[in-house]
Amino acid sequence: MYPNQLALNELITQDLNEKKYFSRQSWCSPQKFSGHKVYDVIIVGAGHTGLALAHQLRLLGLGRVLLLDKQPCGKPGPWQDFARMEKLRTSKFSQGPECGNPLLSFKFWKNSVDGPDAFDQIDFIKTEDWANYLRWFKEILQLDVESETEVFAQQWVESANAFEIRAKKGNTERKYYSSMLCLATGMTACGSWQAPKQLVNKTNLESIGYAWGKIDFSKLVGKHVAIIGGGASAFDNALEATKHGAKRADVLARRKIATGKPLSEKLWSGRDDSQIHDNENTYPSDMTNPILRFSNTLDEKKYLSVIRNFFSDGRTTSRPEYQKQFLGINNLTVNEALGQLKIEACKNSHQHRITSEHGFDELYDYVIVATGPKFDVKAKKELFAISNEILTWGDREQKVDLLDIDALPKLSSEYQIQFKSENSAAGKLYCLTDVIHITVGIPALANVIEKVSRSIASQLYANNAQHIISHMEVLNNKGEEDNENYHS
């Protein structure tokens, strides 16, 4: 039997209370700088990744953890903004931010809210449910989140032995200090949402929108709409346009769009070894797990080979069940393998003409660009000041012509940003931008969070070891004094 929500909350709170989980104190030495509290860790981003990391760090006894999030309070991640899919594309069985505690899982939450069989009755998780679950997750764990706070700069301050993080909340600029810093802002952790300049430099701002921004779909009634891109986000926006009464929605893809099961799903189904070992006639093992857990420990050649195979069909293919939704929609068309596209605003109207190198030519009333993020450390405010010092894949002698990976930082196996030369921030600045993990998303959480949290905690322990040893000596001396007083 699954408990109702009140009982579930009580179980979780009691369990974590026994572990001193809710304490804001830490085994790290308490520090201040210029009157400011120095946090153990500051995490930029409070979506499912940031929340999961904060939870895991608290489990490791680090009580001074703060999340800075530009989203409004109660809106974790993009799920109520530009994530326009009705349901997540991830399997409902994927482990989320619960870090191995089933009481904190989506399954337990869903059954506590909607009844003991609610989870079994769904095929995929509704986006609205996922947003509500993350909101509950943050609240039940009492994680410290400063919402509507946008970080725009950071630097390592030697005299503070900490990062100085500068952020804006409304019109107010604030400073924060932290021994460790982690960027957990999803797809844009090392870049930004922006359309290719060659694609949109001749467009009319009034009749173009972006999949990662606000779009008033109610104004698309009766309009002929183009959606540029072949990934899952393009289909999300095309479906949204037709739901709101668009006359026609055309998905325009540069490459051929993959159909059938994505490779990640095939790997999850496993490889059947029973023909070789007939005594192993059981379920095939999940082969995505070692890829997500160990790929970034491989040498460069093997790591890049894994990526080439993993993304042979593009970065975000949509599952077959999702693609079937479009088959019966008469006013939605898919145009693929168009090659390089060109968008130009018409002189005497708000329309755009879209052409391609393979002869495509069409007029549109409105254009939605859904081409995905641009990887570029210079485009990330938090990294701009040190962007020339960061080691990227593009710094290799042999360039990597794959998913713009050249623009991504070449992270350590523990997701630390590496530098081209000696840097005081080395080993203390984490960025969750491994291309496999930011693309796979939720299924990668458990593997990433475990590794990053232990790396952070072990470094902080090493840095605070003398403080802990001194405290042990004080306690031992006090013990000797107590013994003397007892025998006197």
Side-chain angles (χ1 to χ4, degrees):
M1 284 293 293
Y2 289 92
N4 61 36
Q5 185 142 55
L6 180 60
L8 178 62
N9 290 352
E10 289 177 352
L11 282 171
I12 292 169
T13 302
Q14 180 181 350
D15 175 57
L16 294 178
N17 258 330
E18 292 169 357
K19 297 171 182 173
K20 296 186 176 181
Y21 176 89
F22 296 106
S23 172
R24 295 302 188 268
Q25 296 196 37
S26 170
W27 43 259
C28 291
S29 172
Q31 301 291 333
K32 278 193 169 186
F33 179 75
S34 296
H36 293 270
K37 175 181 182 177
V38 177
Y39 288 89
D40 300 332
V41 187
I42 283 181
I43 301 165
V44 181
H48 52 244
T49 302
L51 294 174
L53 180 57
H55 170 50
Q56 190 65 30
L57 290 169
R58 289 267 290 272
L59 286 173
L60 293 172
L62 297 169
R64 294 186 281 270
V65 177
L66 178 67
L67 296 106
L68 302 177
D69 192 31
K70 69 177 183 180
Q71 288 287 93
C73 183
K75 282 193 172 184
W79 310 107
Q80 293 170 294
D81 289 330
F82 61 85
R84 297 188 173 102
M85 70 287 260
E86 183 184 353
K87 299 177 182 179
L88 303 190
R89 288 179 272 272
T90 305
S91 166
K92 69 176 183 178
F93 298 108
S94 295
Q95 187 176 167
E98 66 267 22
C99 299
N101 184 345
L103 294 177
L104 288 166
S105 67
F106 176 84
K107 180 177 182 178
F108 266 74
W109 173 83
K110 179 67 174 173
N111 287 339
S112 75
V113 172
D114 294 328
D117 299 322
F119 183 80
D120 292 336
Q121 292 171 1
I122 63 172
D123 51 358
F124 288 87
I125 298 172
K126 286 185 176 180
T127 305
E128 182 182 4
D129 279 351
W130 185 250
N132 289 332
Y133 161 69
L134 291 178
R135 191 180 301 113
W136 167 82
F137 185 89
K138 185 202 87 170
E139 290 172 357
I140 193 64
L141 296 177
Q142 301 175 27
L143 299 175
D144 294 329
V145 179
E146 290 209 11
S147 303
E148 299 182 63
T149 303
E150 185 168 9
V151 175
F152 64 87
Q154 59 78 25
Q155 62 177 345
W156 179 260
V157 178
E158 206 67 55
S159 56
N161 195 30
F163 288 97
E164 178 185 84
I165 297 121
R166 297 168 64 195
K168 273 192 175 182
K169 183 162 186 166
N171 296 322
T172 306
E173 184 176 320
R174 299 184 177 186
K175 286 183 181 179
Y176 304 86
Y177 292 88
S178 180
S179 300
M180 297 282 177
L181 178 60
C182 182
L183 304 182
T185 52
M187 296 286 284
T188 60
C190 263
S192 63
W193 292 107
Q194 56 179 284
K197 289 182 179 179
Q198 71 275 15
L199 189 65
V200 297
N201 62 350
K202 295 181 179 180
T203 55
N204 185 328
L205 295 178
E206 293 181 16
S207 52
I208 190 166
Y210 300 93
W212 52 87
K214 292 182 179 179
I215 298 174
D216 188 350
F217 284 91
S218 66
K219 293 184 178 180
L220 302 187
V221 176
K223 304 284 188 182
H224 188 192
V225 182
I227 301 91
I228 309 294
S233 178
F235 286 94
D236 293 337
N237 282 271
L239 192 60
E240 197 71 16
T242 59
K243 284 180 179 178
H244 283 80
K247 180 181 178 181
R248 198 172 98 198
D250 295 351
V251 174
L252 310 181
R254 183 169 55 88
R255 303 193 332 164
K256 186 172 177 60
I257 296 172
T259 57
K261 284 187 178 182
L263 179 63
S264 58
E265 193 170 329
K266 295 175 184 176
L267 288 166
W268 180 82
S269 297
R271 179 196 61 225
D272 189 358
D273 297 336
S274 60
Q275 292 180 349
I276 298 173
H277 301 289
D278 55 11
N279 63 332
E280 294 182 352
N281 190 21
T282 53
Y283 293 114
S285 177
D286 172 10
M287 295 181 71
T288 57
N289 188 54
I291 292 172
L292 297 176
R293 187 178 291 270
F294 303 119
S295 286
N296 69 342
T297 65
L298 298 172
D299 61 53
E300 283 186 10
K301 186 176 180 180
K302 288 179 181 175
Y303 175 74
L304 293 173
S305 183
V306 168
I307 291 177
R308 283 194 180 92
N309 281 280
F310 203 83
F311 298 109
S312 60
D313 290 332
R315 191 182 291 139
T316 53
T317 56
S318 54
R319 63 180 191 272
E321 299 92 335
Y322 186 65
Q323 292 175 351
K324 286 178 182 178
Q325 294 183 61
F326 305 103
L327 298 179
I329 302 176
N330 295 328
N331 61 336
L332 194 156
T333 64
V334 178
N335 303 268
E336 54 187 334
L338 297 177
Q340 195 66 41
L341 294 168
K342 184 179 180 182
I343 310 174
E344 287 189 297
C346 298
K347 290 183 179 179
N348 300 318
S349 71
H350 292 305
Q351 289 184 309
H352 287 95
R353 180 179 294 278
I354 300 181
T355 57
S356 83
E357 59 182 315
H358 298 318
F360 182 86
D361 190 337
E362 190 76 56
L363 284 174
Y364 289 97
D365 301 311
Y366 196 84
V367 178
I368 298 174
V369 180
T371 52
K374 177 178 173 58
F375 296 140
D376 182 359
V377 290
K378 287 184 171 64
K380 191 68 177 171
K381 293 178 184 179
E382 298 94 321
L383 298 175
F384 179 78
I386 58 171
S387 58
N388 291 328
E389 303 169 51
I390 294 174
L391 181 68
T392 68
W393 283 96
D395 292 317
R396 298 167 70 253
E397 289 185 13
Q398 186 177 357
K399 302 298 181 184
V400 185
D401 184 22
L402 177 69
L403 295 176
D404 299 325
I405 195 176
D406 275 344
L408 282 175
K410 194 171 183 296
L411 303 173
S412 75
S413 61
E414 295 177 335
Y415 301 91
Q416 296 143 311
I417 281 182
Q418 300 184 93
F419 295 90
K420 297 174 185 177
S421 56
E422 187 173 341
N423 191 295
S424 299
K428 306 178 186 76
L429 178 57
Y430 291 75
C431 192
L432 306 186
T433 55
D434 178 88
V435 69
I436 294 178
H437 294 99
I438 59 177
T439 301
V440 171
I442 297 167
L445 265 182
N447 296 317
V448 178
I449 298 309
E450 178 187 5
K451 188 176 290 189
V452 173
S453 60
R454 290 194 174 276
S455 174
I456 290 174
S458 64
Q459 279 200 81
L460 286 172
Y461 181 76
N463 296 343
N464 286 271
Q466 188 54 56
H467 161 73
I468 293 170
I469 291 168
S470 298
H471 184 64
M472 292 166 68
E473 291 172 347
V474 168
L475 292 177
N476 279 330
N477 291 334
K478 188 176 185 303
E480 291 174 5
E481 292 174 7
D482 290 342
N483 285 334
E484 290 176 4
N485 293 332
Y486 178 78
H487 291 292
S488 61

